[in-house]
Amino acid sequence: MVLKGIAASQGIAIAKVYKLQQPVLTISKQEANVEEELAKLEKAFAKTISDIEAIKDRASANLSEEELAIFDAHLMMANDPEMKGQIEQMIKDQSVNAEYATQEVANMMVAMFESMDNDYFKERAADVKDVTFRLQCNIVGAVIPDLTAIDEEVIIVAEDLTPSDTAQLNKNYTKGFATAIGGRTSHSAIMARSLEIPAVVGCKGILEEANHGDMLILDAVEGKVIINPSDELVKEYLEKKAKFEEEKEALKVLVNQKSVTVDGHEVEIAGNIGTPKDVDGVLTNGGEGVGLYRTEFLYMDSENDFPSEDEQFEAYKTVLEHMEGKKVVIRTLDIGGDKRLNYFTFPEEMNPFLGYRAIRLCLDRTDIFRTQLRALIRASAYGRLCIMFPMIATLNEFRNAKAIFEEEKAKLVAEGVKIGDKIEVGMMIEIPAAAVLADKFAKEADFFSIGTNDLVQYSMAADRMSEKVSYLYQPLNPSLLRLIKMAIDGAHKEGKWCGMCGEMAGDELAAPVLLGLGLDEFSMSASSILRARKMIRSLSKAEMTELAAKAIELETMDDVVELVKNSLK
Ligand code: PEP
Ligand code: MG
């Protein structure tokens, strides 16, 4: 069986399916043998306790004491004779099945905790649900997936992967993943590229068709998934995989080369990162800087509260130090839209992508914004820092954000804190209004970075998460190219640099046009850097300038694609 999807992170993998899907239990009341049910319950309690202990054990390397405390709370509950006693009593009194009795007792406990006007007890209700769900699964023999327990080579199959799922992936065993939803610019796709794990997203039907343990070929070059392939197909794909890896290896000669065209025009190719750990990938792939550090992952990984100034400082400092004086563009908090936090309640909005998010939220909650800016300014002493504000729509937003930055900087200087001597303060161009007014913004911003994922979404009015309208993801549409040209020309008019950190920057068909439009910096997933460098080194800037001039006069994206393909021949 072959399913189509979107190749989100290139590569080929062949391994067994690990299905990351919570079991759905349908529990009904049944008459049962008391002795048998009590024995089942006994065994399930023992397994639940050993499961939680094992999870805690595996997590202990990565989590703080505070974060590990949740497992202790669960263990205490699983060891609590009171809860167990009540379930046993119900089995005896009513001769019912163990999973049903567990459900009834759990419902009572949850109702009791939830009725208390106290956050501590409300959290205990969540603990009861967690522990009793695991207990019921153990009674009926259902498996709760646990990414940290994987100890053989697998391909993960899921509806979607959250940032915390991806953070738990063990790269030694996870050979790839396939998700049912998402597009090229969804966050699981972006994470897959930074982890350099092959991934196919938006693969409709995968959850229905693939079973735990099935053999799978993940073709994340062509964007397809083959379930239970024949031996011949496996053989064919093993060869394809070897060839793909050979080509990847051959690109390594470009690691220390410049990104320079045949006629001597130099651009910069940088990497996008989500966590300080991703810096290694950027460096080993020859990235000339970090063009986008998406700091929201730091906030999303934090369990209970916003990360403190010191925690943030450590993360930013680590990145700057590792990049050893190379340029590092750190974006301030871009939360909202599809990116949510456990510990922060967003207002209910009809269109969260058009709502209270990113710089809009930061200018409203300046307490959160100031903490981040202080951490950034302190970290600036350790490298070449560029700070960038996301989702700027108006000049006043930029001015207000910059003014807060200046205030915090002045305070830190007055406190005698050592800071970098030249912090650049720029902005993303991802809202059409900002692109159109780029010449004005460029008088005040030190640089631009074009976020095409959102710029396309907002220009085309097409939700980037929806597969139904994914045909409107058209970065090469002449309308988009004109907006991009406005941004680049606006920056250059004021002597500023213009980069791009949206997924378009790493798209091989877009590179010739972007080079021709005069883009100075291309920032992309680490795994795309060398292929992009190879492409740039094969092109002439003069010829691409002509090509770009023709492209913006065309009518459709297909026209542009054809023009580029012909010129590359
Ligand atoms: C973008 O919008 O292009 C971008 C780089 O930001 P994000 O994908 O994080 O929204
Ligand atoms: Mg964006």
Side-chain angles (χ1 to χ4, degrees):
M1 149 107 28
V2 182
L3 295 175
K4 294 276 311 160
I6 300 162
S9 173
Q10 289 221 334
I12 289 171
I14 305 170
K16 277 200 263 176
V17 170
Y18 184 93
K19 217 162 161 183
L20 187 70
Q21 196 179 26
Q22 285 293 339
V24 182
L25 302 181
T26 36
I27 289 172
S28 58
K29 184 175 183 179
Q30 277 157 26
E31 221 181 288
N33 176 303
V34 172
E35 289 313 314
E36 278 173 19
E37 295 306 304
L38 288 176
K40 262 197 233 166
L41 185 74
E42 190 63 37
K43 255 171 89 183
F45 260 104
K47 181 155 177 5
T48 299
I49 292 165
S50 70
D51 283 354
I52 301 172
E53 277 169 349
I55 297 171
K56 181 183 169 192
D57 220 40
R58 286 192 297 270
S60 60
N62 300 319
L63 298 184
S64 66
E65 281 299 312
E66 202 186 333
E67 289 165 320
L68 287 172
I70 178 90
F71 297 111
D72 292 326
H74 286 190
L75 278 173
M76 212 152 80
M77 196 160 282
N79 280 305
D80 176 13
E82 173 82 23
M83 179 167 88
K84 191 172 170 213
Q86 284 188 34
I87 304 173
E88 286 171 341
Q89 199 58 48
M90 181 175 275
I91 295 175
K92 287 183 200 154
D93 290 350
Q94 304 184 19
S95 305
V96 285
N97 46 329
E99 64 273 25
Y100 173 76
T102 304
Q103 188 62 54
E104 290 294 293
V105 171
N107 288 346
M108 270 178 334
M109 290 175 72
V110 167
M112 180 187 74
F113 282 133
E114 281 181 346
S115 70
M116 294 182 187
D117 194 18
N118 175 318
D119 282 347
Y120 174 80
F121 286 114
K122 289 207 164 118
E123 274 167 34
R124 298 292 75 79
D127 292 344
V128 174
K129 286 184 198 162
D130 266 20
V131 172
T132 51
F133 179 69
R134 184 172 291 283
L135 184 61
Q136 288 173 312
C137 286
N138 285 333
I139 296 170
V140 301
V143 182
I144 299 180
D146 175 6
L147 290 173
T148 62
I150 294 175
D151 57 1
E152 57 174 346
E153 293 194 351
V154 294
I155 293 170
I156 310 240
V157 167
E159 168 82 359
D160 193 14
L161 291 177
T162 64
S164 69
D165 290 333
T166 31
Q168 286 176 39
L169 293 181
N170 179 334
K171 265 185 75 174
N172 291 331
Y173 297 125
T174 308
K175 295 293 140 188
F177 65 74
T179 63
I181 63 166
R184 255 199 77 74
T185 60
S186 65
H187 285 93
S188 49
I190 290 167
M191 292 296 266
R193 287 192 286 279
S194 63
L195 288 165
E196 297 188 54
I197 296 178
V200 173
V201 301
C203 190
K204 261 206 255 140
I206 185 83
L207 281 174
E208 294 75 18
E209 301 298 340
N211 294 310
H212 205 78
D214 278 352
M215 199 61 192
L216 203 76
I217 294 177
L218 185 81
D219 178 350
V221 177
E222 306 230 334
K224 60 186 177 189
V225 164
I226 307 168
I227 304 169
N228 291 325
S230 64
D231 290 349
E232 286 106 89
L233 258 183
V234 170
K235 196 164 152 253
E236 189 185 308
Y237 267 91
L238 281 171
E239 281 163 20
K240 273 197 189 170
K241 183 171 182 302
K243 191 155 165 265
F244 180 87
E245 269 148 27
E246 227 170 78
E247 280 169 13
K248 201 168 146 188
E249 202 47 44
L251 285 172
K252 295 240 166 91
V253 296
L254 295 176
V255 168
N256 295 314
Q257 304 285 326
K258 291 193 161 163
S259 310
V260 58
T261 62
V262 291
D263 51 351
H265 176 80
E266 202 173 328
V267 297
E268 196 177 321
I269 302 189
N272 291 350
I273 63 170
T275 74
K277 274 194 280 183
D278 300 340
V279 169
D280 281 345
V282 174
L283 290 173
T284 53
N285 283 290
E288 292 159 270
V290 167
L292 169 64
Y293 174 5
R294 290 183 165 93
T295 58
E296 55 274 17
F297 290 112
L298 188 67
Y299 290 72
M300 288 158 86
D301 282 344
S302 186
E303 289 280 329
N304 304 313
D305 203 352
F306 285 95
S308 68
E309 182 183 316
D310 282 346
E311 272 171 69
Q312 295 192 49
F313 166 71
E314 285 304 327
Y316 307 150
K317 173 173 170 241
T318 304
V319 173
L320 284 156
E321 278 182 340
H322 276 80
M323 290 306 292
E324 296 179 333
K326 293 193 176 83
K327 192 186 76 188
V328 173
V329 182
I330 305 186
R331 175 171 78 185
T332 58
L333 181 59
D334 182 2
I335 205 76
D338 61 326
K339 294 177 263 186
R340 305 266 139 174
L341 302 173
N342 290 335
Y343 47 84
F344 182 78
T345 317
F346 287 86
E348 285 284 328
E349 293 175 299
M350 295 287 279
N351 295 296
F353 269 106
L354 302 180
Y356 186 65
R357 57 171 296 198
I359 199 69
R360 304 163 182 191
L361 186 152
C362 286
L363 289 175
D364 180 48
R365 287 293 307 270
T366 50
D367 53 330
I368 299 169
F369 193 39
R370 285 181 192 273
T371 305
Q372 181 171 38
L373 287 171
R374 286 176 68 85
L376 283 166
I377 298 164
R378 283 170 56 200
S380 70
Y382 299 88
R384 187 178 154 205
L385 174 66
C386 303
I387 297 177
M388 155 162 96
F389 305 129
M391 298 282 300
I392 295 282
T394 70
L395 257 167
N396 280 341
E397 282 173 340
F398 183 79
R399 286 177 185 151
N400 291 341
K402 175 113 191 250
I404 296 175
F405 160 81
E406 293 294 354
E407 275 172 33
E408 290 308 321
K409 187 171 134 193
K411 276 191 230 162
L412 283 163
V413 170
E415 286 165 30
V417 176
K418 194 172 105 205
I419 68 171
D421 41 338
K422 172 90 186 77
I423 307 173
E424 288 181 54
V425 180
M427 57 182 270
M428 292 198 63
I429 300 272
E430 49 187 345
I431 295 181
V436 172
L437 212 62
D439 55 333
K440 304 291 178 204
F441 279 102
K443 291 186 196 297
E444 301 183 36
D446 293 330
F447 67 92
F448 293 153
S449 184
I450 307 174
T452 47
N453 306 340
D454 280 317
L455 188 63
V456 175
Q457 154 165 274
Y458 296 128
S459 304
M460 293 284 175
D463 186 340
R464 65 194 263 189
M465 299 296 286
S466 161
E467 301 137 50
K468 282 263 189 291
V469 294
S470 63
Y471 74 96
L472 286 168
Y473 177 69
Q474 298 193 2
L476 281 169
N477 188 297
S479 59
L480 261 300
L481 297 180
R482 289 180 187 202
L483 286 173
I484 291 167
K485 181 171 164 33
M486 281 182 185
I488 299 173
D489 290 350
H492 288 176
K493 200 169 134 206
E494 298 299 329
K496 308 292 171 66
W497 61 270
C498 182
M500 178 179 285
C501 58
E503 293 309 307
M504 182 185 192
D507 178 340
E508 282 170 67
L509 280 181
V513 184
L514 296 173
L515 177 70
L517 290 173
L519 192 72
D520 302 297
E521 178 232 41
F522 296 63
S523 190
M524 58 192 70
S525 326
S527 56
S528 305
I529 292 175
L530 292 175
R531 234 174 295 130
R533 181 166 298 149
K534 185 174 171 200
M535 166 72 94
I536 295 286
R537 289 172 63 89
S538 72
L539 298 172
S540 140
K541 167 76 163 89
E543 281 172 26
M544 292 309 114
T545 305
E546 278 175 33
L547 177 98
K550 280 190 201 144
I552 60 165
E553 294 302 330
L554 293 174
E555 290 169 359
T556 66
M557 176 178 75
D558 292 344
D559 296 342
V560 177
V561 169
E562 196 186 309
L563 175 79
V564 175
K565 282 191 172 159
N566 284 337
S567 86
L568 291 180
K569 262 184 204 150

